[in-house]
């Protein structure tokens, strides 16, 4: 076991509404959906029509530029609707579940006995491939590439993020099978980032992996931060990353020969009655989780994911592809009299300009209000304190704003994705759209350099 | 509260684009956002945002300036009564009142002219009112000699806001510290009226200075070759000088507020002081029989505008260096240059203003080299790996 990598920069946001370590089985949702909008840069092509019957594991759509990458139905049943937005962009492919429906059959085998090609084909066909992401850029991995290493962060430090060692505790063997499969896909290693202060026994005794321990405030749990400190991404490098729960899907695929995308998600946030964990399925309609669990009649914001990187959804929309939590916070769409001049006993802040920094509470209710107007960059040094990387975030963002590809490359755009800079956006005095800007930069990199 | 909010909300449609009072839009928006944090919620990116905004940040800087303002007012009265020989017979309240009546009009003119221009520019550009001038508008009076005519304050404020800031694109885009641009404009445009010994102490038309009164600042005396710094007076602020810069104590209180809240960069403050001290020591070593060069180095830190410049001017985040390493270099050079100009250059008794403006100009260059350093490190890493 290696030494602990200690990071100092960052911030743990003390948001109210942490989940208790209790898991309930969620009500079975009537409908499930995959949302092509969950995949940045994807051009989806449909393989199904409305009213068509599908089995769990049958493809719903595929990537236009990489037809091997298919996205499959999480449940068996019938495609009920294909919801489109502006310019007929596909927003959701909705499947109505049927308990008696069959599941598509895949090979049931120990990945250790399979070749790289067989494993790749099985993961691609089952629709689990999109869970594997590629760095640079944080987009779906290209099956033709061979990654330098595959990285998995085993803990999430984002506000109210689920406790993965709790989720994993009964499925350690499945996790091992998933890792065995992944390790065949790289010439390098499968590398785990483990919380040095967490319950480390969960990740002891795993084979085929290299373990690195980390400690520090958020974003230390982000895989991108961990990669930066283990083996930073240089120009031309490709590494893959995958979320911990998604490794379980791969493990089950080889163990059982069917697509089983049951996952544990945390329902959290200050507006949730008794925040806790639920066992549910990929793409579930969130209304079955929210019903009876929301405290207030007030205007709330439902987020698939966490408050930093998640997606705002309506309360009858669907769980995002990569998300392991649903967060509900107050919308906060109201005026605050002289809000900028208050003492701020209840106002958590990354700065020390509110009295709350003297009287720290355990947790704070926070809403989605911007708390100020949008401005140009005025203050300096604010972002640097929150990014434990040798990257100059403001200069990188400015190079994106002027669309200078060379500078973006030189300043390290290969090493970061939105989640790594999300804290900067949270803390920004000028309310700059950091994540949106970064994705714009990444998109122009993809466009210019491929 | 609700009443005010309703007034703002009900009048809002009338100042929208195309409506009759659209020309009042920036004013309406400026006051609405001043009274009420708006109800806008996050549309993309993070769903929660810090409570900090530019209004609060700037508000804290103004708050940190309050001790300097109050002591500056008192000192204005103090110098007045001292000059006319009535100090002993005048009560604390009257001394302060005299200063208050002298200083408040300057503050009003500075804010009035500056904000007026800001409102016009915001209207033309279709921006929100930017808060930068909340601080500049307070800094400008504090770096002015108390006898500066109000029309000169108005002209130099206008110059600073238009040429120093708005031509570059407004708050966040300027190259130089706007308050120092105002001071520099005044210094070079009206040299006859703004220098000499008579500008620092307000005598008034109806009073007469006692015999032997000079009104010279400790710096002017030192530059003339006979330094005579009363350390206690210089530290507490009872010496002639620009309104807000005399009291090192008040400035230190402000510095503590800025550092504790994290609004001002302690790196710049510290490195400026270190730079000034180092240069002071070097001059001490090579002083020979030059009395000004022999002035103990630490006394440089409490006379003139050194402390005020280090704490409130050099730390302006927009015009200072922005990288961590850059801030150290920038601050250090501000300190060094400030003392060099002060002591070596006979034309300018005070060097802080020019030193900071000069380093403002070079701050982007310093940052450029720091950024290049980061880029080179990344390149090197790539080559080692390959």
């Amino acid at each position: 076991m290696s030494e602990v990598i200690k990071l100092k920069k960052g911030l743990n946001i003390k948001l109210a509404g942490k989940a208790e370590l209790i898991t309930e089985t969620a009500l079975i949702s009537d409908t499930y959906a995959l949302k092509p909008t969950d995949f940045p840069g994807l051009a989806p092509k449909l393989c199904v029509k409305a009213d068509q019957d599908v089995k769990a594991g049958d493809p719903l759509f595929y990537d236009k530029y990489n037809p091997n990458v298919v996205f499959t139905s999480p449940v068996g049943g019938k495609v009920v609707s294909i919801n489109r937005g502006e310019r007929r962009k596909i927003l959701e492919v909705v499947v109505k579940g049927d308990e008696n429906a069959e599941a598509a059959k895949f090979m049931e085998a120990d990945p250790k006995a399979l070749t790289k090609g067989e494993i790749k084909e099985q993961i691609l066909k089952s629709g689990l491939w999109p869970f594997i992401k590629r760095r640079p850029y944080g987009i779906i991995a290209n099956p033709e590439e061979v990654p330098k290493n595959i990285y998995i962060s085993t803990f999430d430090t984002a506000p109210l993020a689920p406790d993965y060692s709790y989720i994993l505790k009964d499925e350690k063997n499945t996790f091992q099978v998933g890792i065995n499969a992944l390790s065949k896909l790289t010439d390098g290693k499968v590398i785990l980032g483990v919380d040095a202060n967490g319950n480390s026994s969960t990740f002891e005794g795993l084979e085929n992996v290299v373990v690195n321990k980390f400690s520090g405030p958020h974003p230390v749990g982000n895989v991108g931060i961990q990669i930066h400190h283990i083996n930073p991404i240089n120009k031309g490098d490709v590494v893959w990353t995958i979320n911990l729960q998604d490794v379980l899907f791969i493990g089950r695929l080889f163990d059982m020969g069917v697509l089983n995308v049951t996952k544990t998600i945390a329902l959290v946030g200050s507006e949730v009655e008794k925040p806790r964990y639920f066992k549910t399925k990929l793409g579930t309609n969130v209304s079955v989780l929210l019903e009876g669990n929301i405290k207030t009649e007030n205007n709330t914001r439902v987020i698939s994911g966490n408050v930093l990187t998640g997606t705002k959804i309506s309360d009858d929309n669907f769980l995002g592809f990569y998300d392991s939590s649903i967060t509900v916070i107050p919308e906060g769409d109201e005026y605050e009299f002289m809000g900028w001049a208050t003492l701020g006993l209840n106002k958590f802040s990354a700065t020390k300009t509110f009295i709350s920094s003297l009287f720290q509470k355990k947790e704070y209710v926070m809403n989605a209000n911007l708390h100020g107007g949008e401005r140009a960059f005025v203050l300096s040094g604010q972002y640097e304190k929150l990014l434990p990387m040798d990257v100059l975030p403001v200069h990188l963002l400015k190079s994106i704003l002027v669309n200078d590809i060379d500078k973006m490359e030189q300043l390290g755009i290969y090493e970061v994705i939105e989640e790594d800079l999300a804290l900067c956006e949270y803390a920004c005095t000028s309310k700059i759209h950091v994540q949106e800007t970064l994705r714009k930069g990444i998109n122009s990199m993809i466009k210019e350099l491929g | 509260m609700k009443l005010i909010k309703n007034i703002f909300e009900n009048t809002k449609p009338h100042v929208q684009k195309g409506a009759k009072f659209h020309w009042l839009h920036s004013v309406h928006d400026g006051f609405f956002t001043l009274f009420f944090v708006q109800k806008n919620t996050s549309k993309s990116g993070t769903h929660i945002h810090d409570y900090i905004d530019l209004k609060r940040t700037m508000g804290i800087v103004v708050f940190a300036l309050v001790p300097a303002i109050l002591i500056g007012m008192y000192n204005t009265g103090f110098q007045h009564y001292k000059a006319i020989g009535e100090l002993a017979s005048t009560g604390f309240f009257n001394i302060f009142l005299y200063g208050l009546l002298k200083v408040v009009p300057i503050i009003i003119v500075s804010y009035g002219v500056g904000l007026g221009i800001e409102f016009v520019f915001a209207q033309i550009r279709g921006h929100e009112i930017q808060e930068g001038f909340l601080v500049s508008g307070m800094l400008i009076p504090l770096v002015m000699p108390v006898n500066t005519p109000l029309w000169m304050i108005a002209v130099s404020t206008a110059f600073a806001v238009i040429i120093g800031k708005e031509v570059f694109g407004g708050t966040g885009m300027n190259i130089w510290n706007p308050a120092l641009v105002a001071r520099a404009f005044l210094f070079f445009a009206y040299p006859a009226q703004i220098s000499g010994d008579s500008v620092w102490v307000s005598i008034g038309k109806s009073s007469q200075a006692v015999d032997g009164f000079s009104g010279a600042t400790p710096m002017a005396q030192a530059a003339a070759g006979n330094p005579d710094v009363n350390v206690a007076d210089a530290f507490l602020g009872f010496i002639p000088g620009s309104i807000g810069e005399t009291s090192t104590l008040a400035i230190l209180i402000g510095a503590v507020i800025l550092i504790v809240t994290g609004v001002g960069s302690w790196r710049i403050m510290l490195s400026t002081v270190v730079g000034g001290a180092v240069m002071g020591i070097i001059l001490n070593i090579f002083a020979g029989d030059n009395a000004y060069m022999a002035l103990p180095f630490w006394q440089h830190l409490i006379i003139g505008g050194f402390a005020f410049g280090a704490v409130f001017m050099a730390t302006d985040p927009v015009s200072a260096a922005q990288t961590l390493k850059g801030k150290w270099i920038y601050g250090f050079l501000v300190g060094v240059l400030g003392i060099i100009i002060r002591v070596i250059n006979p034309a300018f008794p005070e060097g802080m203003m020019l030193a900071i403006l000069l380093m403002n100009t070079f701050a982007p260059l310093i940052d450029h080299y720091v950024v290049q350093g980061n880029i080179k490190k990344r390149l090197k890493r790539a080559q080692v790996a390959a």
Side-chain angles (χ1 to χ4, degrees), chain A residues 380-447:
Chain A
S380 60
Q382 222 173 9
Y383 290 14
E384 285 80 354
K385 271 190 231 164
L386 299 172
L387 180 66
M389 277 184 166
D390 190 14
V391 168
L392 298 167
V394 176
H395 291 87
L396 176 61
L397 289 169
K398 284 183 176 172
S399 71
I400 294 170
L401 291 173
V402 297
N403 204 18
D404 183 339
I405 300 281
D406 288 341
K407 267 274 146 59
M408 289 184 221
E409 183 180 297
Q410 291 169 348
L411 289 168
I413 198 167
Y414 296 136
E415 301 183 49
V416 288
I417 65 168
E418 291 99 316
E419 60 178 17
D420 302 320
L421 290 182
L423 264 183
C424 304
E425 180 167 7
Y426 159 75
C428 184
T429 302
S430 299
K431 317 288 175 194
I432 294 197
H433 297 279
V434 173
Q435 300 186 71
E436 205 179 85
T437 309
L438 180 60
R439 181 48 68 181
K440 237 184 241 166
I442 290 175
N443 286 342
S444 19
M445 291 298 293
I446 296 173
K447 208 172 133 202

Side-chain angles (χ1 to χ4, degrees), chain A residues 216-227:
Chain A
H218 184 62
V220 68
N222 285 3
V223 70
I225 306 290
Q226 297 172 1
I227 296 170

Side-chain angles (χ1 to χ4, degrees), chain A residues 3 61 83 133 227 245 268 327 331 363 374 378 393 395:
Chain A
E3 281 175 36
F61 53 91
N83 300 334
K133 286 198 197 180
I227 296 170
Q245 284 219 65
V268 292
T327 313
E331 180 71 18
E363 51 180 40
E374 293 170 23
V378 171
H395 291 87

Side-chain angles (χ1 to χ4, degrees), chain A residues 40-54:
Chain A
L42 176 74
K45 278 282 188 191
L46 287 171
C47 331
V48 290
K49 291 196 189 97
D51 289 333
Q52 189 174 329
D53 287 324
V54 287

Side-chain angles (χ1 to χ4, degrees), chain B residues 25-26 29 121-130 166 169-170:
Chain B
H25 178 262
S26 70
D29 183 72
F121 270 92
Q123 182 67 36
I124 295 171
R125 293 218 176 98
H127 279 174
E128 280 188 48
I129 305 282
Q130 315 248 311
E166 292 300 340

Side-chain angles (χ1 to χ4, degrees), chain A residues 307 338 340 342 350 375 415, chain B residues 34-35 47 50 56 131 381:
Chain A
V307 289
M338 295 298 272
W340 60 275
T342 55
R375 297 287 181 268
E415 301 183 49
Chain B
L34 180 71
F35 283 117
H47 298 275
D50 203 311
R56 189 175 187 86
E131 292 81 0
R381 195 178 74 196

Side-chain angles (χ1 to χ4, degrees), chain A residues 4-135:
Chain A
V4 176
I5 299 174
K6 286 184 188 145
L7 304 181
K8 290 213 178 84
K9 292 177 174 180
L11 175 74
N12 287 327
I13 297 174
K14 297 179 181 175
L15 194 59
K18 197 174 166 53
E20 263 184 83
L21 295 182
I22 302 170
T23 309
E24 279 179 26
T25 304
L27 295 173
I28 294 172
S29 168
D30 196 30
T31 52
Y32 295 81
L34 290 195
K35 299 187 275 187
T37 47
D38 285 339
F39 313 97
L42 176 74
K45 278 282 188 191
L46 287 171
C47 331
V48 290
K49 291 196 189 97
D51 289 333
Q52 189 174 329
D53 287 324
V54 287
K55 290 181 275 191
D58 276 354
L60 296 177
F61 53 91
Y62 62 92
D63 180 352
K64 184 180 166 189
Y65 300 109
N66 219 333
N68 286 334
V69 176
V70 297
F71 301 77
T72 55
S73 177
V75 293
K78 184 183 278 229
V79 177
V80 282
S81 65
I82 292 157
N83 300 334
R84 292 173 186 268
E86 268 175 48
R87 293 198 285 165
R88 296 189 44 78
K89 181 177 164 185
I90 305 166
L91 298 180
E92 293 135 15
V93 180
V94 186
V95 178
K96 191 170 160 54
D98 177 353
E99 279 178 61
N100 305 318
E102 281 179 65
K105 287 274 176 294
F106 298 98
M107 188 173 27
E108 190 184 326
D110 182 358
K112 279 184 182 165
L114 297 175
T115 65
K116 183 176 178 177
E118 287 168 325
I119 290 175
K120 197 188 271 185
E121 198 196 326
Q122 166 114 323
I123 295 179
L124 277 166
K125 245 173 68 187
S126 65
L128 292 180
W129 190 268
F131 285 109
I132 304 174
K133 286 198 197 180
R134 162 199 202 268
R135 294 285 184 115

